[in-house]
Amino acid sequence: MGTSTRPLLLLPEILLFAGGLCALMAGSFTARDRQWITRVIAASALVASIVVSAVALGGPPQAAFDGTYAIDTATGAARITAALGALLVLGVAGDELAGSARESETYALVLFATTGTIMLAGARDLLVLVVAFLLASIPLYGLIGLVRTPRGAEATMKAYLMGALFGIVLLLGVTLLYGVTGSTLLTDLARRLPAAPPAAVAAGLLAVVAGLMFEAGGVPAHFWVPDAAQGANGTVATFLTTVPKIGAMIAVYRLVLVLPDSVDWPLLIGLLAVISMTLANLAAFFQDDPRRLLGWSTVSQVGFLLVPVAAATRSDLTQPSLLLYLAGYTVTNIAAFAVITALPERRNLADYRGLSRSRPWLAGALLVALLGLVGTPPAALFVGKFTTATAAWDAGMAWLTVAVFVNSLISLFYYLRWIIPAFSPAPAPQPDQQQPTPAWRWSSATAVVAALLSVAFGLGGGLLWAVVSGPLLP
C-alpha cells in the first residue's frame, strides 16, 4: 500500500459501510421484536460519520488513493447532507418497519447506498465513478423490491432495467473519453480533451451524464422514479427520491469543469435542465396520488439542480448554490414524504381534506415542505432557487433564468392542488364511517423536524453559503 493511498481520509465512508455490515450481521442474530437494535447501530454510524465529516470539512482539500478521490468542500458537503438525509429516513422507518421481516436489511442497504452516493461526489476518476455508481444503484433495486405487491414488483423491474441500461450507457461514455485521452483521471482529461475530436467529447459527455441521471432521477433516465415512489414503501420512497441525487449532481458538476470549450456543453446541460423541469412539472399536474405527484416533483427538481451545473465555468456562484440547493432539497423533500408515510391510508389528494384541523402539526410541515419545493421563503429552497437563477444570469444564460422562474410558477399550481384540501374544512362524517387511523408517531416527528430544518437552513442561508464556498480540488 503506497503512502498516497491515505485510507483514513475516507473514515466517514468507512464508518457508513461498516455500520451497514454491523446492522446486517446484528439483524441475523436478533429476534424480530428487538430489531430496533439494528436501527440504533445504523443511526450511530450515521451520526459518527456526520461528526467526522464536519471536522474534516474545515481542513484543506486533499486527495486519496493516488489522486482518484477528492476530499474537499463538495465531498464534505455531500458527506454531511447524505448522512443527515439517511438519518431522517431512519426516523421515517421507525413506525413502518419496526418488527417487520426485512428491517435490518433495509437499514444495511440504506447505509450501503449512502456510501455509494458519497463516493460519487468524491470521485476524481471515471473508473471510481463507475464503482460508486454500482454501489449506489444495486442496493436501490433491493430496497424497492422489499414490498411484495404487484405494484412493487413492477417498480423494481423498471428500476432494475433502467439502471442496467443507463449503467451500460455510463460505461460507454467512460470508454469513449478514455479512448480519446488515454486516461480516466479528471485532471488528465482537463489537459487532453481540448485536443480530442469535439464529436467524441460531446458523445462521451452525454453518455456519462445520462448514466448519472439514473442515479439523480432526471431526464432521460427518469421513467422509473414515479413508479418507484408509488410502489415502494414510504421509507424507501423517501430515500430514493432524495439521497442519491446528492452524489450524482456533484459528480456531473466535477465532470463539466474539465470539459473544453470546443464543445458547447453549457447549452447541452441547460437544455437538459429545461426539459427535465418542464416535462416533470406538466406530468405532475395531473397526478392524484401524492406519492406519484412527489415522484414527478423530484424529477423536476433535477432540472433546477442542473442550472448551476450548466453555468459551472462562467460564474463563481455555481458551486455554493448547487451545494446549498442540495442541502435544502434533502430536508424539504424528506419532510413531504414523511407526512405521506405518517398517514399511509391517505393515497389520494382529496383524502387530505381537513388535515389542518385533525393534524395541525402535520399540516404545517406539509405546507412548509410544499411551498419550500416551490421556492418560497423562508424555506431553504428559496435561497437555492434564487441563487441558482442568479448564477445562470451571471453566466449570461438569461433564458435559463427565465425557465427557472416559469417552471417554479407552474409547479405552484399542482402543489396548491394538495395544499388547498389540506387547509379546507373536513367533510361531515358519515354514520357508518370508520374512525381514521392515528398518524404514525415517528414519521410525524420526522416531518416536523425536517420542516424546521428546512426553515432553519433558509434563515441561516448566509452562514451555509460561507461553509459551502470552500475550494474544490482541481
Side-chain angles (χ1 to χ4, degrees), residues 209-210 213 219-220 267-277 303 306:
V209 171
M213 283 301 103
V219 173
L267 178 62
L268 293 175
I269 301 293
L271 289 175
L272 192 61
V274 174
I275 293 170
S276 195
M277 281 187 274
L306 283 170

Side-chain angles (χ1 to χ4, degrees), residues 173-199:
V174 171
T175 305
L176 258 176
L177 294 176
Y178 174 76
V180 296
T181 61
S183 176
T184 53
L185 199 63
L186 292 186
T187 50
D188 291 339
L189 296 183
R191 290 196 306 270
R192 301 175 186 176
L193 280 177

Side-chain angles (χ1 to χ4, degrees), residues 324-339:
L324 190 58
Y325 199 116
L326 284 169
Y329 171 75
T330 298
V331 293
T332 308
N333 193 60
I334 288 177
F337 267 100
V339 172

Side-chain angles (χ1 to χ4, degrees), residues 225-238:
V225 178
D227 294 301
Q230 186 181 28
N233 62 43
T235 303
V236 173
T238 306

Side-chain angles (χ1 to χ4, degrees), residues 67-235:
T68 58
Y69 196 81
I71 294 92
D72 54 17
T73 301
T75 307
R79 284 170 165 175
I80 296 172
T81 307
L84 175 62
L87 192 61
L88 291 171
V89 168
L90 292 189
V92 174
D95 308 293
E96 188 176 45
L97 297 182
S100 67
R102 295 287 177 264
E103 186 174 1
S104 60
E105 288 90 338
T106 301
Y107 301 147
L109 290 173
V110 165
L111 261 64
F112 294 152
T114 304
T115 310
T117 293
I118 296 173
M119 288 182 65
L120 275 174
R124 292 181 75 224
D125 188 286
L126 295 180
L127 294 182
V128 176
L129 187 75
V130 171
V131 173
F133 175 87
L134 295 175
L135 182 57
S137 302
I138 293 174
L140 288 184
Y141 312 144
L143 284 169
I144 299 169
L146 288 174
V147 178
R148 297 183 177 179
T149 61
R151 188 169 283 170
E154 181 186 350
T156 307
M157 184 58 70
K158 280 188 178 178
Y160 173 72
L161 292 177
M162 295 293 289
L165 172 63
F166 281 93
I168 294 171
V169 172
L170 172 66
L171 282 171
L172 283 173
V174 171
T175 305
L176 258 176
L177 294 176
Y178 174 76
V180 296
T181 61
S183 176
T184 53
L185 199 63
L186 292 186
T187 50
D188 291 339
L189 296 183
R191 290 196 306 270
R192 301 175 186 176
L193 280 177
V201 176
L205 164 70
L206 287 175
V208 173
V209 171
L212 290 172
M213 283 301 103
F214 168 78
E215 205 63 48
V219 173
H222 64 287
F223 296 104
W224 64 280
V225 178
D227 294 301
Q230 186 181 28
N233 62 43
T235 303

